[in-house]
Amino acid sequence: MDDRYSRQVILPEIGPKGQECLRQAVVGVVGCGGLGAIASAYLAGAGVGHIILIDGDEVSLSNLHRQVFFSTHQTQLKTAQLKAHLNALNPEVDVTEHAQFLTRENCSHLLGECQVVLECTDQLDVKFLVNDYCAMKGIPLVFGAVYKFEGYISSFANASPDDTHLRDIYTDSTDTIPSCEEVGVMNTVAGIIGLHQANEAIKIISKMGQPLFGTLLWYDVLTLEQRKITLAKSFRDDMARVFKENAYDNAVFCDNSIDIDRKDIRDDMVLVSIVENSEHLGLTPNTIHKPMSRFDPSFLDDHYGKTVVLCCNHGISSRALAIKLARRFTSIQFKSLKGGLMAMSSKEMH
């Protein structure tokens, strides 16, 4: 057995047999931010054989207080940066990255071979999508969420129709849970819950301890209080039907991208760059610069009736923001620059 794992293999609860289970395991991590980056690093350190990273987002400055494995001046997508970190940490682990958002159409392709899935996003529609797919396919799921100074975690066995899952906690995907961007979050709570998620996955894979099946753990970093809440089974609809019929109305599922060059920019278009100061590249002299880390949408009141084209490095953060803004400013058409500033610069070089 590799010396790398010697300190955990000597634990009788793991031993060589448990370590071999970890080596053979395939774990999917949906969302590579504050929860997913922490969890995947500890999974790699523990020797989980194959980790699948799924996230279409790019790193922004406002993420870095809790997403501590990313670099300030790096413009790669989250999955690319995290994969590089995991490969450096443990070259024995096979890491697959999918720089795309999860949708109903790609669930089977991205999650179909997983033995355990960790749901690490801050969007309720995505959480329901992952929950419903895993419940339908019988894949154990580790759920994590953070809110200001609080964290929540549970594990769903998905072994029988009587097992509890996310729809036994929240009634439906129309429930509102504000994102970290909207209400803020203490960086340490993301780290703590991410560690708990990794711990749950390791317990499930190696069949040791007592995973949080049927239990929701609540944790408060200000008081260091924690409570275990027993979950009751209440949702009994056919999950295959739910998965097929649910719209999963998440912003990033919508295609609002526009593929334009500088010569295509019209007078009725307002270009808004949301990258940080050090990365900003004005497409035109009139490009408005509003960094994502301190984005204030009040300036949009002056642009009713126009088309606002949001620009980021890769066209992903801008895509999600465009849909959010469209729900608030119904008299403005919002678009996202396809491929972002990187794609435009590449076109102009050729």
Side-chain angles (χ1 to χ4, degrees):
M1 188 64 67
D2 195 323
D3 286 345
R4 179 187 298 273
Y5 313 114
S6 60
R7 297 298 185 270
Q8 66 188 36
V9 171
I10 62 173
L11 297 170
E13 293 81 357
I14 297 181
K17 183 177 180 180
Q19 191 62 48
E20 180 61 18
C21 289
L22 292 171
R23 188 187 69 81
Q24 294 182 10
V26 179
V27 177
V29 179
V30 182
C32 296
L35 299 176
I38 295 290
S40 60
Y42 276 83
L43 292 175
V48 169
H50 187 185
I51 300 173
I52 300 174
L53 306 176
I54 303 166
D55 195 324
D57 203 3
E58 55 195 12
V59 179
S60 66
L61 192 62
S62 60
N63 295 152
L64 295 179
H65 84 296
R66 65 191 184 280
Q67 298 176 12
V68 295
F69 295 129
F70 301 136
S71 302
T72 299
H73 300 295
Q74 181 63 264
T75 59
Q76 285 181 305
L77 297 172
K78 288 179 181 178
T79 53
Q81 288 197 52
L82 187 55
K83 178 179 180 179
H85 177 81
L86 300 185
N87 286 338
L89 172 66
N90 189 351
E92 297 177 3
V93 173
D94 181 16
V95 182
T96 302
E97 61 154 325
H98 295 285
Q100 57 187 288
F101 292 111
L102 196 71
T103 69
R104 181 169 48 200
E105 289 69 31
N106 65 22
C107 267
S108 292
H109 171 64
L110 300 182
L111 299 178
E113 64 176 309
C114 293
Q115 183 177 340
V116 178
V117 172
L118 276 62
E119 204 299 313
C120 302
T121 75
D122 65 352
Q123 299 179 61
L124 188 56
D125 282 306
V126 181
K127 291 182 180 297
F128 271 104
L129 173 64
V130 179
N131 175 82
D132 296 352
Y133 178 80
C134 288
M136 180 177 65
K137 296 296 184 180
I139 303 172
L141 173 64
V142 182
F143 160 80
V146 294
Y147 177 78
K148 294 184 177 180
F149 299 97
E150 300 175 0
Y152 307 85
I153 182 170
S154 186
S155 292
F156 309 137
N158 292 328
S160 80
D162 292 326
D163 289 332
T164 56
H165 51 67
L166 187 61
R167 290 189 181 274
D168 296 303
I169 302 175
Y170 299 105
T171 55
D172 60 54
S173 58
T174 61
D175 291 347
T176 299
I177 297 181
S179 68
C180 297
E181 177 185 338
E182 296 170 306
V183 299
V185 63
M186 184 67 183
N187 66 339
T188 51
V189 71
I192 290 168
I193 298 304
L195 281 173
H196 272 299
Q197 287 187 273
N199 188 56
E200 286 294 293
I202 291 170
K203 289 192 296 181
I204 292 170
I205 294 166
S206 60
K207 297 180 174 58
M208 68 171 181
Q210 296 180 338
L212 289 168
F213 295 144
T215 303
L216 177 69
L217 175 68
W218 168 84
Y219 188 89
D220 186 323
V221 296
L222 291 183
T223 63
L224 298 186
E225 292 181 277
Q226 68 176 30
R227 297 174 193 158
K228 285 185 176 181
I229 303 166
T230 300
L231 301 177
K233 186 64 187 174
S234 59
F235 186 90
R236 295 190 178 277
D237 289 2
D238 178 65
M239 194 56 74
R241 181 189 62 79
V242 172
F243 182 78
K244 180 180 179 180
E245 296 179 359
N246 198 298
Y248 300 110
D249 185 25
N250 177 42
V252 297
F253 296 172
C254 303
D255 187 7
N256 56 6
S257 299
I258 183 171
D259 189 4
I260 57 173
D261 296 320
R262 292 177 199 267
K263 65 181 182 334
D264 301 320
I265 298 171
R266 307 187 307 265
D267 291 339
D268 65 335
M269 287 182 175
V270 179
L271 273 67
V272 181
S273 169
I274 64 171
V275 299
E276 301 304 319
N277 290 334
S278 60
E279 305 165 345
H280 177 60
L281 173 65
L283 298 174
T284 70
N286 297 324
T287 299
I288 299 171
H289 186 210
K290 297 288 182 180
M292 188 68 173
S293 60
R294 51 187 185 277
F295 189 87
D296 180 357
S298 61
F299 76 97
L300 293 167
D301 292 334
D302 298 328
H303 300 292
Y304 285 114
K306 295 184 178 179
T307 298
V308 172
V309 181
L310 300 171
C311 317
C312 63
N313 281 316
H314 298 278
I316 296 174
S317 295
S318 57
R319 185 182 177 195
L321 180 60
I323 294 295
K324 288 184 180 180
L325 293 173
R327 292 169 177 166
R328 176 174 171 182
F329 298 89
T330 56
S331 297
I332 301 175
Q333 184 177 27
F334 290 93
K335 294 291 184 180
S336 170
L337 180 63
K338 187 173 183 179
L341 298 173
M342 295 294 184
M344 180 165 282
S345 296
S346 178
K347 284 184 196 175
E348 294 177 349
M349 289 176 62
H350 297 87

